[in-house]
Amino acid sequence: MTDFQSLPAAQGTTRRSTPLLKVRNLSVTFPQRGGPPVNAVRGISYDVHEGEFLGIVGESGSGKSVSSLALMGLLPSSAQITGDIDFDGHKLLEMNDRQLSGLRGRDISMIFQDPLSALTPVYTVGDQIAEALLLHDSALSKQAARSRAIELLKVVGIPAPERRAKAFPHEFSGGMRQRAMIAMSIANDPKLIVADEPTTALDVTIQAQILEVLEKAKELTGAAVVLITHDLGVVAGHADRIAVMYAGKLVENGSTADVFSDPHMPYSIGLLRSVPNMQTAGTQRLVPLEGRPPSLTALPPGCPFAARCPIALDICREVEPLLASHGEFADGVRVPGLDLAAAGTPRDQPVDSHVAACHRSGEIASGRLTRADVFPRPEPLEMQHAVAREAQVPVLTVTDLKRHFPLTNGGLFSRRIGTVRAVDGVSFSIQPGQTLGLVGESGCGKSTTILEILEMATPQAGKILIDGTDIGTASRAERLKLRKDVQIVFQDPMAAIDPRLPIGEVIGEPLTVHGVGRAERRARVQELLDLVGLDPQMADRYPHEFSGGQRQRIGIARALATNPRLVVLDEPVSALDVSIQAGVINLLEDLKEQLGLSYLFVAHDLAIVRQIADTVAVMYLGRIVEYGPVAEVFARPRHPYTQALISAAPIPDPAIERSRTRVLLEGDLPSPTEEITGCNFRTRCPLYRLLDPAAQSLCTTDDPPLVTHDGVDAACHHVDRNRIVDSALVGAP
């Protein structure tokens, strides 16, 4: 058994000439009863060498996960798989399940997107890791396997591994479960690790921790890594090579630096243009990638991207382009050569080549077509963030809001054993026409805060004022009027819309509640559909007939039905592809300016908050720890938690990502039931560990209040000392 602690890092490993993994002409088709088959993967080919980190990116439905499941032999038996997968001399598609089981978990391991469903709930985490060891090493004793499981949990950063090994998966947080999955994946010193969206559902701080652990696992085992993700920032910071998928095919493949700096495929250019960037957010509009991917059951002739491509030619709609090096083009005419998707044995391109599937990639690569020719340059965004006039009455004022929940031991004679401090003294205000971004990790109290506002009931403690009216003392009639002025857009548009109703009735439902007549209601629905960029003739269609971005526009239209003054946006774009996010964000910005709306924008994506918000409030364990103008907070964060959040946020630029110095928070967010004396952030604070004992004593005994520092409120005893380590914490290059 390999000793991970003594194993040298894999950096600098000499690449052997034969790839560890060779995928050639891989196609996966799912037959459908009574309908055309789904061509999920269509003739993709790529190589992965020892110690290499390959990132596969693309929109939902592009075939990324299906290709990885085909590699692992985990697709259903109904799937029709053709092509060739050669892993270290093994022809995987020719092996039966028993033979594949000998490789899975030993030579090839996989980290799944949802660790809770991937782990067995009735066995302890330690037993499941030990099982992975025992399956592939019959000479290993159960006691040795348990000891090794504890050691692996320690390697991936699980605190108190001896105790945690005896815990069940539901007792772990999301980040800890993903760490346990990584521990299991490296247990047998694999040669290849396949990670399928391992950070999708995690907070930015936990995401940074998981990626750090994944990098450590790669170094300790020397394994190659195939990372499947939609987050281009993650790929920029970690992958050696990047493969872009669209409509079941690879459309671009090359080194990460080359693809990011000089993409040759319009789809890749569109993806990069649509991603919010922490460096440019708030200064320019996003450039959305219009349209939606084609159905994999009825692909159009020619290039699948042609309908969305602004530089498509007639040939693009007739002949599907081949994956080829731009060097094989002369004066825009394709020279016969590489065809990785054609029948027969393809001619291999050198592993460091940059190839793209576009009839015009030669023009793009030579500079005859620039990025601005493919997609327009981002329009400058007028600086918002203006200080509101004092005479204006805030649309929303929250003062010292508290929401505590009793924690009982259950049973017939239950008794109170603690208190969950979900919201613990929160104060903020939103001026007319402004956006407040509410950010923080999952469990910090963001959702409870907005639910307290939307409930419009007398708060447990504190005050909530809407347009100057105290909802705690408001009459029933006043509250009914206020409900028209405050609306919400939910995170998951499909779950928030009744699938049995046509969207016209969905959008008009708030008007029905407030007694608006049928004719007036129908006219308003038509107006709203046009306002959010949808065809008014679509009013009779059902939700399933729309894409994710269109469904979110429907949710926005419903929220605007009553002409509200304040719209609460609860993670409105987190469930959308980056290509769709840009269009929704631009729509929200346009509606805010056009209708004079105010937004309470709840999110964990700091780049999007920087793009849309005027002020930002950072929450931690039910409290606001920093609050001020967004430009000032992002330029010079005062609180170490804010600095760590910004440091953890990925930037889609390989040069910047690989030169940043990050400070990772230790562990997960503590439970709101814990009694933490003094500063509740000190248990994870990177600054606390740098302080002298006298300064640490102040953090241990005194809870810091929110104090204004140059126009920004921060709850930290050591804001002045904190500036000493700004560059390290924020991750400045």
Side-chain angles (χ1 to χ4, degrees):
M1 183 65 62
T2 305
D3 183 357
F4 292 151
Q5 301 294 350
S6 61
L7 189 69
Q11 292 177 341
T13 302
T14 303
R15 174 184 285 178
R16 67 180 186 179
S17 58
T18 304
L20 174 67
L21 175 69
K22 288 181 66 174
V23 177
R24 290 293 179 268
N25 299 320
L26 177 65
S27 295
V28 180
T29 302
F30 295 98
Q32 290 195 105
R33 184 179 300 174
V38 178
N39 302 302
V41 178
R42 303 184 301 120
I44 69 170
S45 300
Y46 61 88
D47 294 342
V48 181
H49 282 73
E50 286 184 351
E52 188 175 43
F53 200 127
L54 172 68
I56 301 179
V57 301
E59 294 172 281
S60 299
S62 61
K64 308 186 300 295
S65 295
V66 172
S67 63
S68 68
L69 292 173
L71 170 66
M72 297 295 296
L74 297 177
L75 288 173
S77 58
S78 60
Q80 298 173 358
I81 309 171
T82 60
D84 181 61
I85 302 176
D86 187 310
F87 171 74
D88 200 25
H90 301 281
K91 299 290 186 181
L92 299 187
L93 295 184
E94 298 175 7
M95 301 174 71
N96 58 37
D97 190 60
R98 179 179 290 275
Q99 292 170 323
L100 284 172
S101 296
L103 288 178
R104 285 194 298 252
R106 186 190 68 197
D107 295 330
I108 310 176
S109 61
M110 188 164 187
I111 303 168
F112 294 94
Q113 180 174 350
D114 182 4
L116 187 58
S117 61
L119 293 169
T120 305
V122 295
Y123 292 103
T124 65
V125 170
D127 283 346
Q128 294 186 61
I129 297 174
E131 181 186 27
L133 290 161
L134 293 169
L135 280 173
H136 297 285
D137 189 350
S138 57
L140 193 68
S141 68
K142 289 185 178 181
Q143 183 59 42
R146 291 193 187 98
S147 299
R148 191 61 183 158
I150 293 171
E151 181 184 347
L152 287 163
L153 288 174
K154 184 178 180 181
V155 166
V156 298
I158 297 290
E162 295 85 358
R163 178 171 59 86
R164 290 293 190 175
K166 300 175 183 178
F168 290 88
H170 73 272
E171 298 178 271
F172 277 36
S173 66
M176 289 174 65
R177 283 194 291 266
Q178 200 60 281
R179 287 168 182 263
M181 281 290 299
I182 294 175
M184 193 181 301
S185 73
I186 66 175
N188 292 292
D189 191 12
K191 297 177 182 178
L192 176 67
I193 299 173
V194 180
D196 185 9
E197 300 271 15
T199 61
T200 296
L202 303 178
D203 290 308
V204 64
T205 52
I206 307 302
Q207 171 182 281
Q209 293 174 11
I210 295 303
L211 291 170
E212 189 79 7
V213 171
L214 188 59
E215 283 282 6
K216 182 178 180 181
K218 175 179 176 291
E219 292 176 10
L220 290 175
T221 63
V225 175
V226 176
L227 174 67
I228 295 163
T229 182
H230 66 272
D231 193 327
L232 294 173
V234 169
V235 173
H238 298 273
D240 302 311
R241 295 179 60 76
I242 179 173
V244 183
M245 288 194 71
Y246 184 78
K249 291 198 73 170
L250 283 181
V251 295
E252 188 154 8
N253 192 352
S255 72
T256 303
D258 284 347
V259 173
F260 272 80
S261 63
D262 187 24
H264 299 161
M265 168 67 185
Y267 177 61
S268 304
I269 296 173
L271 279 182
L272 290 168
R273 277 285 174 88
S274 62
V275 177
N277 189 321
M278 286 278 285
Q279 290 197 312
T280 59
T283 63
Q284 60 188 34
R285 285 175 66 86
L286 300 176
V287 181
L289 187 57
E290 302 291 351
R292 55 195 292 189
S295 170
L296 295 176
T297 61
L299 288 169
C303 175
F305 187 63
R308 305 171 72 186
C309 181
I311 59 168
L313 303 172
D314 290 341
I315 191 174
C316 300
R317 298 178 177 85
E318 298 169 1
V319 180
E320 185 166 8
L322 307 173
L323 195 65
S325 167
H326 68 266
E328 299 185 63
F329 290 80
D331 298 325
V333 180
R334 188 175 190 286
V335 178
L338 179 69
D339 178 3
L340 295 181
T345 303
R347 176 166 67 82
D348 283 340
Q349 192 80 355
V351 71
D352 292 322
S353 66
H354 185 172
V355 293
C358 178
H359 289 297
R360 308 195 72 179
S361 64
E363 297 173 76
I364 296 172
S366 66
R368 292 196 296 273
L369 281 175
T370 66
R371 291 198 197 191
D373 294 326
V374 180
F375 286 95
R377 294 184 185 277
E379 298 175 10
L381 194 65
E382 291 185 7
M383 290 304 293
Q384 305 164 29
H385 324 314
V387 178
R389 295 189 299 272
E390 293 184 4
Q392 289 183 301
V393 176
V395 174
L396 174 68
T397 303
V398 176
T399 306
D400 200 25
L401 179 66
K402 293 183 180 180
R403 180 58 174 172
H404 296 175
F405 298 94
L407 185 65
T408 64
N409 62 354
L412 182 61
F413 301 103
S414 62
R415 61 186 179 86
R416 185 166 181 162
I417 58 174
T419 301
V420 178
R421 296 172 178 83
V423 180
D424 199 23
V426 165
S427 299
F428 59 81
S429 65
I430 302 176
Q431 299 291 341
Q434 288 199 335
T435 300
L436 170 69
L438 191 60
V439 301
E441 296 170 282
S442 298
C444 71
K446 304 188 301 293
S447 295
T448 305
T449 300
I450 64 173
L451 288 174
E452 285 291 294
I453 296 167
L454 292 166
E455 188 179 4
M456 292 194 183
T458 303
Q460 198 174 72
K463 285 187 176 182
I464 301 174
L465 276 67
I466 299 175
D467 279 336
T469 302
D470 186 345
I471 63 173
T473 59
S475 65
R476 188 173 182 276
E478 287 175 320
R479 291 186 184 184
L480 184 62
K481 179 184 179 300
L482 291 177
R483 288 192 186 280
K484 294 177 65 176
D485 293 334
V486 182
Q487 295 293 318
I488 184 171
V489 176
F490 293 96
Q491 178 176 358
D492 185 351
M494 194 59 183
I497 295 174
D498 191 334
R500 301 167 298 178
L501 298 178
I503 65 161
E505 292 187 30
V506 169
I507 295 171
E509 188 175 16
L511 300 172
T512 304
V513 171
H514 290 282
V516 177
R518 184 172 182 178
E520 184 181 349
R521 189 167 66 241
R522 185 166 184 82
R524 178 63 174 156
V525 167
Q526 301 281 314
E527 178 187 347
L528 288 166
L529 284 170
D530 184 61
L531 187 64
V532 299
L534 296 176
D535 187 347
Q537 302 302 318
M538 295 178 172
D540 294 327
R541 295 187 184 179
Y542 288 82
H544 72 272
E545 299 178 73
F546 294 87
S547 67
Q550 289 176 320
R551 284 196 289 264
Q552 195 58 287
R553 289 172 182 261
I554 293 167
I556 293 170
R558 180 174 62 178
L560 298 178
T562 59
N563 288 315
R565 298 201 60 204
L566 173 67
V567 178
V568 177
L569 301 160
D570 185 13
E571 302 270 13
V573 296
S574 64
L576 305 177
D577 285 314
V578 291
S579 55
I580 301 170
Q581 282 183 6
V584 175
I585 291 296
N586 286 346
L587 172 65
L588 291 171
E589 290 178 328
D590 292 340
L591 291 173
K592 172 186 168 184
E593 182 177 351
Q594 184 177 346
L595 304 177
L597 298 170
S598 299
Y599 292 146
L600 174 53
F601 193 96
V602 179
H604 67 270
D605 190 321
L606 297 182
I608 291 177
V609 171
R610 179 69 181 86
Q611 175 74 22
I612 198 171
D614 301 298
T615 56
V616 61
V618 182
M619 285 192 72
Y620 185 81
L621 281 182
R623 301 181 184 181
I624 290 178
V625 297
E626 188 157 0
Y627 175 48
V630 69
E632 182 65 22
V633 169
F634 275 76
R636 193 161 60 91
R638 276 71 168 173
H639 197 281
Y641 179 59
T642 310
Q643 292 176 329
L645 286 177
I646 294 174
S647 170
I651 294 175
D653 186 317
I656 294 174
E657 274 297 288
R658 298 180 192 214
S659 61
R660 300 172 77 194
T661 302
R662 282 195 172 92
V663 174
L664 301 178
L665 297 180
E666 292 187 351
D668 298 316
L669 191 77
S671 168
T673 62
E674 288 186 34
E675 290 281 355
I676 302 175
T677 58
C679 175
N680 63 3
F681 182 61
R682 65 179 172 81
T683 58
R684 302 172 73 198
C685 182
L687 176 63
Y688 179 80
R689 297 191 295 272
L690 303 176
L691 298 173
D692 57 77
Q696 286 183 341
S697 176
L698 180 62
C699 300
T700 305
T701 57
D702 295 350
D703 187 13
L706 271 175
V707 177
T708 302
H709 301 271
D710 300 325
V712 175
D713 296 343
C716 179
H717 291 301
H718 307 291
V719 169
D720 292 333
R721 297 194 189 198
N722 202 6
R723 294 174 187 173
I724 298 173
V725 291
D726 268 356
S727 60
L729 290 177
V730 177

